[in-house]
């Protein structure tokens, strides 16, 4: 499980976030809310348009201005809501093309911006398929992984929020009895995961065995199959000759983004 924590950089200039602050102490990954906002606001819109949609137009149907402002803040923490931020711009690039992959697309971005979600997810990945996933078990894991970080009440609510996010992403199924399942992963989702690795400085074969591709909950053979399909569909380019692998994303990144996505050498 510790292998999920790859020794890679998380470039803040591209939208990654580190640190201990987490939206999951008060909210989930808010997939339904994000979907409503993205369906309402054009991909080319300014950051102000997202704020206006939530606060003024009330696309989320919140009862008070205060709750609308809080929702705006949490969604921005998780997803940026700013096309000037690389990770969010790329999410919008993939989003409308792959409705079936949207839960995992959102989860990948939320994980890139919420270190608690990113670091806690190996727990659910370690649960065998069809076994129960309970908030109590998540809470025990958090208490062990982060001694003295959470108060008892915050620990329980955070565990519930994480379990809900895993359910929204597709790792868990069920309302009362939650059981472990595999999330829906498409070639588009694989492309976004590989791209996150690329932005963190990984290249070649490392892109197919990174923190981000491990979040997909697929075997190496399945990751490779998805990569070949993504290449066929034009989401990335894959070239392999023996042990040498080249994966690129033509015309997708701006020059300054390429520069920020520095390689390991």
């Amino acid at each position: 499980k510790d292998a999920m924590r790859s020794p890679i950089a998380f470039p803040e200039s591209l939208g990654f976030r580190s640190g201990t602050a987490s939206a999951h102490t008060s909210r989930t990954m808010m997939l339904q809310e994000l979907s409503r906002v993205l369906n309402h606001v054009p991909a080319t819109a300014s950051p102000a348009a997202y704020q206006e949609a939530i606060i003024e137009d009330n696309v989320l149907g919140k009862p008070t201005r205060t709750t609308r402002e809080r929702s705006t803040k949490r969604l921005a923490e998780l997803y940026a809501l700013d096309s000037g931020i690389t990770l969010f711009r790329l999410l919008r690039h993939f989003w409308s093309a792959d409705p079936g992959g949207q839960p995992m697309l959102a989860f990948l971005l939320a994980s890139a911006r919420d270190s608690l979600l990113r670091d806690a997810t190996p727990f659910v990945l370690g649960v065998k398929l069809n076994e129960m996933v309970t908030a109590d078990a998540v809470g025990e894991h958090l208490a062990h992984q982060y001694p003295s970080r959470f108060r008892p009440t915050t620990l329980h609510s955070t565990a519930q929020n994480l379990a809900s996010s895993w359910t929204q992403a597709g790792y868990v199924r069920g309302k009362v009895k939650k059981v472990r399942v595999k999330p829906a992963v498409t070639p588009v989702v694989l492309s976004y995961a590989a791209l996150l690795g690329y932005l963190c400085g990984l290249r070649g074969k490392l892109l197919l065995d990174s923190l981000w591709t491990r979040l997909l909950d697929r075997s190496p053979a399945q990751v490779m199959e998805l990569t070949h399909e993504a290449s066929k569909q034009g989401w990335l380019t894959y070239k392999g000759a023996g042990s040498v692998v080249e994966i690129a994303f033509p015309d997708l990144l701006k020059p300054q983004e390429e520069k920020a996505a520095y390689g390991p050498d």
Side-chain angles (χ1 to χ4, degrees):
K1 295 179 182 178
D2 291 339
M4 292 288 294
R5 300 183 180 184
S6 303
I8 57 177
F10 298 110
E12 292 186 6
S13 63
L14 300 177
F16 292 90
R17 297 180 70 185
S18 300
T20 59
S22 172
H24 278 79
T25 57
S26 61
R27 295 291 186 93
T28 71
M29 66 179 276
M30 304 174 70
L31 176 63
Q32 186 179 61
E33 290 91 335
L34 175 69
S35 298
R36 288 183 180 178
V37 172
L38 297 191
N39 288 339
H40 183 84
V41 181
T44 56
S46 67
Y50 292 93
Q51 183 172 327
E52 181 178 348
I54 300 170
I55 298 176
E56 307 301 337
D57 300 343
N58 195 20
V59 296
L60 303 182
K62 300 296 182 181
T64 67
R65 187 178 184 89
T66 298
T67 55
R68 296 196 288 272
E69 290 174 345
R70 287 175 180 168
S71 294
T72 303
K73 181 179 180 181
R74 295 296 176 243
L75 282 170
E77 289 173 354
L78 287 164
Y79 303 107
L81 302 185
D82 180 352
S83 59
I85 302 297
T86 304
L87 296 189
F88 182 70
R89 179 179 67 79
L90 295 173
L91 175 81
R92 297 232 55 171
H93 171 75
F94 293 117
W95 186 262
S96 60
D98 187 20
Q102 287 174 359
M104 277 299 290
L105 287 172
F107 181 81
L108 287 168
L109 177 50
S111 296
R113 292 179 58 78
D114 189 315
S115 62
L116 180 62
L117 180 64
R118 183 166 67 236
D119 291 343
T121 296
F123 168 79
V124 76
L125 291 174
V127 177
K128 294 181 180 179
L129 294 179
N130 299 314
E131 286 192 356
M132 294 282 293
V133 178
T134 66
D136 286 345
V138 179
E140 290 176 6
H141 171 73
L142 293 178
H144 176 74
Q145 189 173 11
Y146 305 100
S148 73
R149 174 173 171 178
F150 299 102
R151 296 178 180 177
T153 52
T154 307
L155 179 69
H156 183 68
S157 62
T158 302
Q160 288 181 317
N161 289 337
L162 286 169
S164 177
S165 287
W166 293 329
T167 303
Q168 293 171 47
Y171 295 104
V172 178
R173 180 178 299 155
K175 292 185 178 180
V176 179
K177 293 184 177 181
K178 295 181 179 293
V179 298
R180 174 78 160 89
V181 294
K182 279 190 173 290
V185 174
T186 64
V188 170
V189 172
L190 177 281
S191 300
Y192 191 49
L195 189 50
L196 291 178
Y198 186 91
L199 294 173
C200 289
L202 303 179
R203 299 292 184 268
K205 290 191 294 185
L206 292 176
L207 292 174
L208 304 183
D209 185 24
S210 71
L211 183 157
W212 311 110
T213 52
R214 291 171 202 166
L215 289 175
L216 305 184
D217 196 22
R218 293 297 190 272
S219 69
Q222 291 170 326
V223 168
M224 182 60 71
E225 183 179 344
L226 286 163
T227 303
H228 284 304
E229 187 58 35
S231 185
K232 289 180 183 178
Q233 294 180 11
W235 297 108
L236 52 76
T237 60
Y238 173 88
K239 297 178 182 178
S243 62
V244 179
V245 170
E246 180 182 337
I247 297 174
F249 306 89
D251 304 319
L252 193 53
L253 298 178
K254 302 173 182 178
Q256 64 268 30
E257 293 170 336
E258 285 279 6
K259 185 176 181 180
Y262 51 86
D265 54 2

